[in-house]
Amino acid sequence: MNFRAAIRGADIDLIFLVAPTSTDERIKLVTEASRGFVYAVSRTGVTGVRQSLSEAASRLVERVRRFTDLPVAVGFGISTPEHVAEVWQHADAAVVGSRIVAEIENNAGDPSLVEKVGELARWLVSSRSAL
């Protein structure tokens, strides 16, 4: 059995990524194979905390929506409430990875680690009320 069939057989969504450099043909293939949501990489390069987001992210979300009705999540470099608010203007979800990993690393061994990560998550979505 191939990997995709095994994942689907276990009722797990296999999440594929598209990038600003993805061709429309590639985006179409990814959206046809996707279940759950499509992960749109906000920019080229590597993940990590950034000061601003790329205009390429909103253009990519528009391109993805031409091929699917699945939710689109944007990630890579999302690290502030302003970033989350910006992503929510054109996408269905913001993916925060490196910022949360950094919080875990900075508080390793702290018994209140879970609470601190929760505080970070609440802070990141605090801009929602301003939308």
Side-chain angles (χ1 to χ4, degrees), residues 47-64:
T47 189
V49 175
R50 295 285 184 259
Q51 294 303 312
S52 62
L53 296 180
S54 166
E55 289 288 321
S58 63
R59 288 191 302 272
L60 179 58
V61 170
E62 290 173 15
R63 290 174 59 212
V64 170

Side-chain angles (χ1 to χ4, degrees), residues 17-28:
L17 284 74
V18 295
T21 55
S22 297
T23 64
D24 283 353
E25 181 180 330
R26 175 75 178 162
I27 292 172
K28 185 176 187 299

Side-chain angles (χ1 to χ4, degrees), residues 18-117:
V18 295
T21 55
S22 297
T23 64
D24 283 353
E25 181 180 330
R26 175 75 178 162
I27 292 172
K28 185 176 187 299
L29 287 171
V30 166
T31 58
E32 288 172 352
S34 294
R35 300 228 171 126
F37 67 91
V38 177
Y39 190 132
V41 176
S42 65
R43 60 186 163 65
T44 56
V46 296
T47 189
V49 175
R50 295 285 184 259
Q51 294 303 312
S52 62
L53 296 180
S54 166
E55 289 288 321
S58 63
R59 288 191 302 272
L60 179 58
V61 170
E62 290 173 15
R63 290 174 59 212
V64 170
R65 291 198 193 284
R66 291 195 320 242
F67 298 103
T68 187
D69 291 329
L70 286 173
V72 181
V74 172
F76 275 46
I78 312 299
S79 61
T80 68
E82 294 78 18
H83 291 163
V84 171
E86 184 179 337
V87 166
W88 281 343
Q89 289 178 18
H90 54 267
D92 302 295
V95 179
V96 179
S98 296
R99 180 64 183 90
I100 291 174
V101 169
E103 187 73 13
I104 293 168
E105 288 175 348
N106 292 337
N107 293 285
D110 185 332
S112 63
L113 172 63
V114 172
E115 290 82 8
K116 288 182 178 185
V117 171

